[in-house]
DNA sequence: GAAAAATATGAAACCGATTTTACAATTATT
DNA sequence: AATAATTGTAAAATCGGTTTCATATTTTTC
């Protein structure tokens, strides 16, 4: 393997001079620079990033930890993230935890070991000690999508509480009174806040809360569409069915929908479904689920922006808590496809 | 930052002994080992992977370069890949090129610089010199999904030619004679072979080839659904419409479908659509496109298997060319939903 | 034209691990 | 008990860059 010494020898200079040329330091004579660059080209020299990182104490690499890379919500986040970090010359280490906290902790270990420059994470974990360990090592961390209270870090997430209120309000506005919720475990801030918003909206409308209609996944670590399916089936065994179901996220909604179909229930005629997050590509042609769409791309971009700025020391030490507003997208699954267009904050698809 | 020297000092041993303990070398007294481990724990020591890589000349990291991470076909590949490599202690650097050869080349540069241990790639590039550069550096490379003729490497891909023949045969079997094709640029082996299979199937059935019905994207570097939409619109301006369209991949099919809908054409009644690759999650409940499904997960897994074995020196130097057979999945978009079940190699969904 | 300042470059130290070499301590062999 | 073999550990070299420090050379200043 060609090293900087080989280049130096070929160009008739010292390794330090080669390094200076490579890192665009000043005080290198134009003619020397040309010679070095020539030698680099002739030898196909590619500097060893590990050696460079060791000395420079940076890796020009950021980690993005997501719970489910298959979910378009997270690929949109990724797009926004990579778009921004790429511009500053960072590459992204995408870590897909599959909603598994063990995997998340393993990734964190790797990230620390590799001396990654910064981490954006949508966590699945109940505890935050592994993240605290990252912070303790002065590696910038941004919580993305999912917040953790007891951690003093920057946060970029959607307003799940308000989104849930609005979504349930929409159902109430359509005449629904018996509204169920199926969502993930409440140690995830998104899930927890959606439950809170759900309850708040019912309270506001003087609809009493029926605990039979609240299905919160207590078995999984993260959002699980498999569990959503099971919880939907449980719900359908009730003597009195709900007229609408608010589902915690897009993938869970698909499985809830499947459960309903299997029981010969029509959506939205028999039961309406609304959920959080979009399914993107599929719904470009056949939009179906009425959903609270979060600005995923922007979320990723903002997280990246914060990380890059923190790394490059452009920020003070104060922490940012960005809360982005989701947008109600009315489609067919709530039975209100044409009825509601024009209402404040709503758009038709 | 805690280094191996801090640990050594705390444990009252030399750095070399700490290293031996960490790397599970023998010839360390049990009692010494305990002391070192204790010191590591107390100091929260995490070895610097860059330093380790520099010396050991490996990174325990593999790159997977995909053209479109949003496409479920590639996330399935990813799943298979990571599942296998994770077992051997490798982590995956996912590189999403977005069908952009410039990005691909940049990733390759980074991969070389970071001294990644191996690369699996689904390339978008016409030329192969950047990949040759990887090979020249003795970094194992596996071509995934898309083959390149003039490169002497291992390959794992699907049988696009045979798949296309079967898919078009299916259409012919349903009575279609005027069959169009919309696909990506032919410098991609998958696209090229699908065109070849298409032509072959028509030839076999004595159907003359009408070049007006062949829409091959010449403007893009990779599969582009935007272009698929445009090409579909072009097709629909023909005086005589096709009765069926064979689309190069899943995402293109969505856009072709959209184009048809916009022209008030019903699928499959007015025009049938078939394509390659599946859309997974959405189609678990509402399968629509009749498709040639490739074993994406297996493809990823096999690529990983080959890479790991090559790195660990378990293979001879002979190159493997794995060609996996796709499976015809008959659904609604070809208008043959119930008609064909039971035919050889077909399954209903 | 001499002194001061600026520019250009090389030698050596350094980043933090691993590995080789050397040697001391222990155990086995005769 | 003397010697050989084995085991356990430390010192030093190494991986391939970057950076500091020192120095030679050139340019500027008066």
């Amino acid at each position: 393997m060609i090293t900087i010494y080989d280049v130096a020898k070929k160009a008739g200079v010292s390794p330090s001079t080669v390094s200076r040329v490579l890192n665009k330091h000043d005080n290198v004579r134009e003619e020397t620079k040309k010679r070095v660059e020539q030698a680099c080209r002739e030898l196909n020299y590619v500097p060893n990033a590990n050696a460079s990182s060791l000395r420079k104490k940076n890796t020009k690499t950021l980690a993005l930890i997501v719970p489910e890379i298959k979910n378009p919500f997270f690929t949109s986040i990724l797009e926004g993230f990579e778009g921004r970090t790429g511009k500053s010359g960072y590459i992204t280490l995408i870590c897909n935890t599959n909603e598994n906290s063990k995997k998340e902790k393993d990734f964190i270990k790797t990230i620390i070991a590799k001396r990654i420059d910064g981490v954006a994470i949508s966590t699945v974990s109940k505890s935050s000690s592994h993240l605290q360990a990252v912070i303790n090592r002065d590696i910038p961390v941004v919580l993305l999508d999912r917040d953790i209270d007891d951690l003093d870090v920057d946060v970029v997430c959607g307003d799940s509480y308000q989104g849930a209120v609005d979504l349930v309000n929409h159902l109430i506005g359509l005449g629904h009174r018996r509204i169920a919720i199926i969502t993930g475990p409440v140690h995830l801030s998104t899930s927890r806040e959606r439950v809170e918003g759900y309850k708040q909206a019912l309270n506001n409308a003087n609809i009493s809360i029926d605990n039979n209609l609240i299905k919160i996944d207590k078995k999984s670590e993260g959002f699980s569409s498999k569990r959503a399916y099971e919880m939907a089936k449980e719900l359908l065994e009730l003597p009195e069915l709900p007229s609408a179901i608010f589902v915690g996220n897009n993938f869970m909604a698909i499985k809830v929908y499947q459960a309903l179909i299997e029981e010969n229930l029509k959506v939205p005629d028999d039961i309406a479904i609304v959920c959080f997050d979009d399914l993107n590509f599929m719904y470009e042609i056949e939009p179906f689920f009425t959903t609270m769409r979060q600005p995923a791309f922007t979320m990723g971009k903002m997280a990246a922006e914060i990380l890059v700025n923190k790394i490059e020391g452009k920020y003070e030490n104060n922490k940012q808590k960005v809360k982005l507003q989701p947008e109600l997208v009315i489609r067919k699954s709530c039975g209100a496809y044409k009825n509601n267009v024009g209402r404040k904050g709503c758009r038709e698809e």
Side-chain angles (χ1 to χ4, degrees), chain A:
Chain A
M1 190 59 67
I2 305 294
T3 73
I4 200 168
Y5 295 92
D6 303 314
V7 176
K9 190 183 247 178
K10 178 144 203 156
V13 296
S14 75
S16 16
T17 299
V18 177
S19 178
R20 281 188 201 101
V21 172
L22 262 39
N23 293 282
K24 306 193 194 308
H25 289 182
D26 40 7
N27 293 345
V28 179
R29 223 192 326 160
E30 190 58 29
E31 188 260 325
T32 315
K33 192 178 150 200
K34 286 255 163 62
R35 253 187 14 253
V36 169
E37 286 168 342
Q38 177 70 14
C40 285
R41 243 175 290 120
E42 283 178 21
L43 295 171
N44 278 316
Y45 172 62
V46 178
N48 184 324
N50 299 125
S52 169
S53 293
L54 178 59
R55 183 65 229 244
K56 281 182 158 172
K57 293 177 179 297
N58 70 33
T59 49
K60 281 294 190 177
T61 306
L62 303 177
L64 175 64
I65 306 181
V66 293
E68 193 170 33
I69 192 71
K70 288 198 155 192
N71 192 321
F73 173 65
F74 291 109
T75 41
S76 292
I77 284 184
L78 168 62
E79 270 194 345
F81 189 85
E82 275 196 317
R84 174 62 188 85
T85 57
K87 272 190 194 118
S88 297
Y90 291 86
I91 81 145
T92 302
L93 182 66
I94 303 164
C95 307
N96 178 26
T97 63
N98 264 313
E99 301 275 22
N100 177 332
S101 68
K102 166 77 165 56
K103 273 197 186 170
E104 178 175 315
K105 291 187 177 92
D106 287 347
F107 274 126
I108 290 289
K109 248 263 170 88
T110 306
I111 286 164
I112 293 175
K114 282 182 175 279
R115 304 299 194 257
I116 299 294
D117 296 341
V119 184
I121 178 170
S122 186
T123 183
V124 266
S125 301
K126 278 182 195 176
S127 79
S128 61
S129 54
H130 61 308
L131 293 179
Q132 190 59 57
V134 178
I135 297 165
N136 292 345
R137 284 180 158 80
D138 286 320
I139 300 174
V141 172
V142 174
L143 298 182
L144 227 183
D145 178 48
R146 300 175 183 177
D147 197 2
I148 296 180
D149 289 333
D150 63 343
L151 228 45
D152 182 33
V153 286
D154 299 72
V155 183
V156 175
C157 60
D159 194 338
S160 281
Y161 173 80
Q162 192 56 50
V165 168
D166 293 347
L167 205 44
V168 174
N169 275 346
H170 177 64
L171 289 174
I172 294 171
L174 293 173
H176 291 285
R177 287 296 173 273
R178 203 166 159 69
I179 302 169
I181 181 170
I182 294 178
T183 189
V186 287
H187 67 262
L188 304 181
S189 68
T190 43
S191 189
R192 183 175 60 249
E193 290 174 18
R194 284 162 205 183
V195 173
E196 286 163 7
Y198 160 85
K199 288 181 177 171
Q200 187 60 53
L202 293 185
N203 272 334
N204 292 348
N206 284 315
I207 300 171
S208 64
I209 285 166
D210 180 349
N211 281 319
N212 291 317
L213 297 180
I214 300 181
K215 293 290 181 188
I216 293 170
D217 187 0
K218 291 185 179 68
K219 293 184 185 169
S220 313
E221 291 195 302
F223 285 87
S224 158
S225 37
K226 184 167 156 285
R227 285 285 300 134
Y229 175 86
E230 293 167 9
M231 293 189 287
K233 291 280 173 158
E234 285 170 31
L235 209 54
L236 298 182
E237 283 173 5
L238 287 179
E240 196 186 349
L241 294 184
S243 74
I245 305 176
F246 165 30
V247 189
N249 83 352
N250 50 2
F251 271 24
M252 292 180 94
I254 289 176
K255 283 305 204 176
V256 169
Y257 180 50
Q258 181 184 4
L260 298 198
I261 289 176
E262 285 176 10
E263 302 294 323
N264 287 314
L265 291 164
K266 287 219 167 56
V267 179
D269 302 342
D270 298 321
I271 296 184
I273 295 181
V274 299
C275 64
F276 257 75
D277 303 335
D278 224 331
L279 285 165
N280 302 43
F281 63 82
M282 195 46 218
Y283 286 92
E284 288 169 15
I285 38 166
E286 292 205 325
F288 180 69
F289 286 121
T290 289
T291 190
M292 197 45 84
R293 179 198 285 160
Q294 300 192 88
F297 185 91
T298 306
M299 289 169 73
K301 191 171 130 185
M302 292 192 72
E305 178 79 26
I306 293 175
L307 268 190
V308 170
N309 281 330
K310 286 183 84 174
I311 291 165
E312 294 176 355
K314 285 184 192 148
Y315 277 179
E316 313 301 314
N317 231 13
N318 56 338
K319 302 289 182 282
Q320 303 200 31
K321 304 273 176 191
V322 177
K323 191 157 268 188
L324 297 167
Q325 289 307 313
E327 171 193 33
L328 178 60
V329 182
I330 297 173
R331 293 192 286 221
K332 295 174 192 156
S333 71
C334 61
Y337 186 44
K338 290 285 173 192
N339 296 349
N340 284 269
V341 175
R343 278 183 48 188
K344 184 168 156 295
C346 299
R347 56 176 290 179
E348 175 195 5
E349 293 235 327

